Amino acid sequence: MRICLKTILILFCLMRWGHAHADESGVIRALNDYLQGTQMGEPARIKDAFHPQAQLLLSHDTKPFWTVTASQYSSWFATKPAKQRRGKILSLKIDGDIATARLKIAVSAPYQAFIDHVLLKRNAGKWQIVSKTATQQSTQYKDKKILFIASSASFHGDSDLPAGTSFSELVYAYDTFIKAGYEVDFMSTRGGALSLSYIDTSMPIHKHYLYDPEFMYAIGHSLTPEQVDASQYHAVHYVGGGNAMYEVAEHPQIQAIAMQVYEQNNGIISAVCHGTAGIVNLKLKSGEYLLANKRVSGYPESFERQDAAYFKEFPFLIGEQVKARGGVFLHGERNAAFVEVDGRLITGQNYLSSVAVAQAMIAVLEKI
């Protein structure tokens, strides 16, 4: 039987992808066993995350080089910690059978933040932590989290016309929140790496975040709706870009997350540019549309290139749909920032409005 070179190469690539995917899954499992085990007070799970011979180098007031074993460390979490504890992966690098990860552990109240550097190794097919050290991080903190919502679509509708999440809308809002002390997570309709549009490295903020490993890891590993605990968030922020017209508005789990944040957590729903498309189907417990009798902004169809192929793929028009839901659709001049604040609903018309929307959200978050 003859097998062509192309087939061999495809099979080889698929095998390599399969191994790499299994390694990443194994590393993340070990890290989550550590993070969630310490959060929930599950010593057996913590112990399983570490190799039996692992060494932990920790901070101590009187011991400059304090090492403890994994067994000792896990025993400290025999019960759920009295303080709220949560952790997240900031970056991850896998090289063959070893991996390094950078983690953030937040403990409150009162608030403390720690940065962990973790070394893992695959042994007999299982990934485990073999070493970890940590340092306390000095940072401004508001003890409130914001969830960015994006589409996973890479094309306009069923066409081959590329579409993605606006990089400007991601970085301008993210930068504003982080500098104000808020924590940001990213979720997309299918999770994983976001498709990106409008990257311009001549813009300093674009260049800064394009080479920021923590930010790029976060948008490269966005959460799925199933992975999100809505009770943890005080605001959701729908990010635009052409792909925001697809997959988001009709997603029932995303709708449920947004409305739990809004109605149960007394939180904020916000959107920028085409991100407003994602909120047009949201309903209150009463059955009324969220947008009814609300002032809403977004990218107006009058600003679109209506003779372009991409425009013909849109499932609906934002302005028309807002009006159909009983809302009042408003926008300003083209290429200028414009923001509408109607209670805990905050919307902006374009990427230039991203900072102003974030600032308006912070002003409301300070009061709730």
Side-chain angles (χ1 to χ4, degrees):
M1 182 175 66
R2 297 174 62 188
I3 301 177
C4 69
L5 179 60
K6 183 177 180 181
T7 301
I8 293 173
L9 289 172
I10 290 172
L11 290 172
F12 178 71
C13 290
L14 287 173
M15 288 175 62
R16 288 191 64 183
W17 178 87
H19 288 311
H21 182 70
D23 281 334
E24 184 174 26
S25 297
V27 171
I28 291 175
R29 180 206 58 78
L31 293 173
N32 281 337
D33 279 345
Y34 160 53
L35 294 173
Q36 295 170 16
T38 53
Q39 177 181 333
M40 301 306 296
E42 299 173 335
R45 191 173 180 186
I46 302 167
K47 196 172 182 179
D48 190 56
F50 288 86
H51 189 275
Q53 298 178 40
Q55 290 291 314
L56 289 74
L57 177 59
L58 306 179
S59 299
H60 194 284
D61 292 339
T62 62
K63 300 176 183 179
F65 202 89
W66 183 36
T67 60
V68 300
T69 66
S71 181
Q72 289 173 314
Y73 183 74
S74 62
S75 70
W76 299 347
F77 296 88
T79 58
K80 187 173 180 179
K83 292 185 178 182
Q84 183 182 19
R85 179 186 175 99
R86 59 175 180 255
K88 65 188 295 186
I89 302 170
L90 299 180
S91 62
L92 175 62
K93 182 71 169 68
I94 301 173
D95 289 296
D97 63 350
I98 61 171
T100 55
R102 185 167 172 265
L103 315 175
K104 181 176 180 179
I105 314 293
V107 181
S108 60
Y111 176 75
Q112 291 176 293
F114 300 88
I115 298 297
D116 280 15
H117 284 215
V118 176
L119 176 65
L120 304 97
K121 187 170 178 60
R122 186 182 66 226
N123 184 37
K126 182 177 181 179
W127 283 95
Q128 289 182 301
I129 299 169
V130 295
S131 179
K132 123 177 168 68
T133 189
T135 186
Q136 188 163 353
Q137 184 183 51
S138 176
T139 182
Q140 183 182 11
Y141 185 70
K142 300 295 184 182
D143 200 23
K144 290 178 181 176
K145 296 179 68 176
I146 298 159
L147 181 67
F148 278 37
I149 299 174
S151 172
S152 298
S154 298
F155 300 95
H156 284 279
D158 296 324
S159 76
D160 58 359
L161 300 168
T165 303
S166 167
F167 199 62
S168 286
E169 292 173 37
L170 286 170
V171 298
Y172 277 112
Y174 178 84
D175 185 72
T176 304
F177 289 127
I178 293 299
K179 287 180 177 176
Y182 291 88
E183 189 173 346
V184 173
D185 288 336
F186 298 88
M187 176 186 71
S188 60
T189 48
R190 285 173 271 151
L194 301 183
S195 297
L196 303 173
S197 291
Y198 314 118
I199 297 175
D200 183 354
T201 54
S202 68
M203 299 172 65
I205 193 169
H206 278 218
K207 182 177 287 187
H208 172 78
Y209 281 108
L210 189 63
Y211 294 103
D212 182 309
E214 180 178 326
F215 174 77
M216 293 304 293
Y217 181 86
I219 65 172
H221 297 78
S222 67
L223 301 169
T224 64
E226 293 80 8
Q227 292 174 311
V228 169
D229 177 0
S231 68
Q232 299 297 308
Y233 298 96
H234 295 80
V236 294
H237 181 59
Y238 287 76
V239 187
N243 68 349
M245 297 296 301
Y246 314 98
E247 299 187 5
V248 184
E250 64 272 27
H251 201 296
Q253 288 170 294
I254 293 179
Q255 292 172 8
I257 290 167
M259 295 316 298
Q260 180 175 338
V261 170
Y262 187 78
E263 293 191 303
Q264 297 181 38
N265 303 358
N266 196 38
I268 295 168
I269 290 177
S270 65
V272 166
C273 200
H274 291 90
T276 299
I279 68 175
V280 297
N281 293 333
L282 298 179
K283 287 185 177 181
L284 303 169
K285 287 181 180 178
S286 64
E288 184 180 31
Y289 283 107
L290 170 71
L291 303 187
N293 302 310
K294 295 282 200 312
R295 302 186 311 277
V296 183
S297 190
Y299 200 73
E301 42 265 39
S302 60
F303 288 1
E304 302 279 4
R305 291 184 290 117
Q306 298 191 12
D307 59 344
Y310 81 85
F311 185 75
K312 296 177 174 61
E313 296 291 330
F314 281 2
F316 57 85
L317 302 180
I318 294 173
E320 285 187 3
Q321 197 74 340
V322 169
K323 294 172 187 175
R325 301 312 193 205
V328 179
F329 186 75
L330 301 164
H331 65 86
E333 297 294 323
R334 187 190 294 268
N335 298 324
F338 183 87
V339 176
E340 281 294 335
V341 179
D342 196 327
R344 290 181 288 113
L345 177 65
I346 301 173
T347 50
Q349 80 168 6
N350 53 19
Y351 82 92
L352 296 166
S353 310
S354 296
V355 171
V357 166
Q359 290 172 338
M361 293 171 65
I362 290 169
V364 176
L365 285 167
E366 294 290 332
K367 300 174 183 177
I368 61 176

